[in-house]
Amino acid sequence: MRAIQIDGYGGPEVIVRRNLPTPSAGPGEVLIRLAYSGINFMDIHTRQGKYASSRTYPQTMPTTLGIEGAGTIEAVGSGVVDFHVSDKVAYCLSWGSYADFAVVAAWRVVHVPEELPLEVAAASMFHGLTAHYLAYDLGKFGPGVTCLVHAASGGIGQILVQLGARLGATIYATTSTERKAEVARKRGATAAFLYDEGGFADTVRNLTGGHGVDVVFDAIGQPTLRDSMRATRTKGLVVSFGSVGGNVKDLDPIELGEAGSLFLTRPRLADHLTDAATIRRRAADIFTALIDGSLSIEIAGRYTLDDVERAHQELENRHTVGKPVIKIE
Ligand SMILES: NC(=O)c1ccc[n+]([C@@H]2O[C@H](COP(=O)([O-])OP(=O)(O)OC[C@H]3O[C@@H](n4cnc5c(N)ncnc54)[C@H](OP(=O)(O)O)[C@@H]3O)[C@@H](O)[C@H]2O)c1
């Protein structure tokens, strides 16, 4: 089978293409014939070595890139009772989806309803389940809740904005361009504006009568985090869930006190997908919304296993709006 691997960390040049034997499903595992793989910033962070010493996301070299996919069950290992050959399935948080086949622990896998295209299922697992726990468990979205979402035209951003609008929260959104801001408005943001080198914090304070929002979702990191704190109300919550712009390495907890007794958290999806029941519940919510039309996923670009370097470059260069995918078959 074809597999896109890395043997070490670095830029797109460390990506290698291999023909490997098709793996077998062991006990408790399923073998999936992949139709689509989602492309995530996590793939780029992984390739660059940012997770090299991660205990949450351990990896061994060589690693096949890609952490989400959708396809059909090719074979089931012993002890697997929930899945059968030919079932339509999707999963996330298991390495190896930039390939023709992947072996995945069955508890991580969900059935994909007949009405949902596999492309949308692949595109919605990692970002959809992330947006789900951010919206429900951390943001506690509902009427009266005010929220700021950065990178709102990105894969996670577009879903967060839609969930917030649907649940009655007031969502303010930031993006790097006016074209992207318009995407966030169309998705339901109450107001969308540019980062303006941190000026977004003043805009948010003006829009909230000087108070700031209840919660900020910041996936950018160093360039925005301190202004995100400035945009948060007293005793509000700053959720630093990503670092596409670089890690914050010099934050003194006293700054949280000075900014208004803020709460700061750095959550990880793995800690919010710890068992099969939770994964199925979150995926069912996202799939149901996609099928009834109350949620949409914008496919940012369709790539093949031959041009993943280009896909990574376009994501890194901020050219994407929505979610890029690889068509495998
Ligand atoms: N903690 C978790 O549970 C969790 C789960 C999933 C992902 N993440 C993290 O969330 C972050 C977002 O990843 P993603 O795959 O979800 O992508 P994404 O949401 O599609 O975000 C990409 C967007 O980030 C914005 N951005 C801001 N500064 C950037 C920079 N310096 N370089 C590139 N893009 C920049 C760009 O939008 P603008 O041009 O509008 O700024 C870009 O479109 C990553 O750090 C990822 O690891 C965390």
Side-chain angles (χ1 to χ4, degrees), residues 39-43 45 50-51 57 126-127 130-131 133-134 150-158 174-177 180-181 195 218-220 223 240-246 266-270 272 314-324:
I39 300 175
N40 296 289
F41 233 102
M42 189 165 167
D43 308 341
H45 292 326
K50 285 192 182 171
Y51 290 100
Y57 299 118
F126 187 62
H127 282 171
T130 297
Y133 89 79
L134 294 176
H150 290 313
S153 77
I156 298 171
Q158 285 200 37
T174 53
T175 59
S176 61
T177 66
K180 291 183 175 186
Y195 303 109
D218 189 328
I220 298 176
S240 169
F241 72 96
S243 51
V244 284
R266 200 335 179 164
R268 285 198 153 168
L269 177 60
H272 295 81
E314 288 178 0
L315 190 53
E316 276 186 276
N317 292 340
R318 304 166 88 155
H319 293 159
T320 54
V321 170
K323 170 80 177 200

Side-chain angles (χ1 to χ4, degrees), residues 119-120 123 127 152-155 158-159 162 179-180 183-184 186-187 290 295-302 320-325:
E119 180 182 65
V120 180
H127 282 171
S153 77
Q158 285 200 37
I159 304 176
Q162 291 176 81
R179 186 175 74 87
K180 291 183 175 186
V183 171
K186 286 201 173 117
R187 290 304 191 195
L290 287 166
L295 178 68
S296 336
I297 301 251
E298 179 172 1
I299 302 296
R302 293 176 174 87
T320 54
V321 170
K323 170 80 177 200
V325 296

Side-chain angles (χ1 to χ4, degrees), residues 150 218-226 228 240 242-248:
H150 290 313
D218 189 328
I220 298 176
Q222 180 65 38
T224 50
L225 194 75
R226 282 190 170 81
S228 293
S240 169
S243 51
V244 284
N247 292 336
V248 180

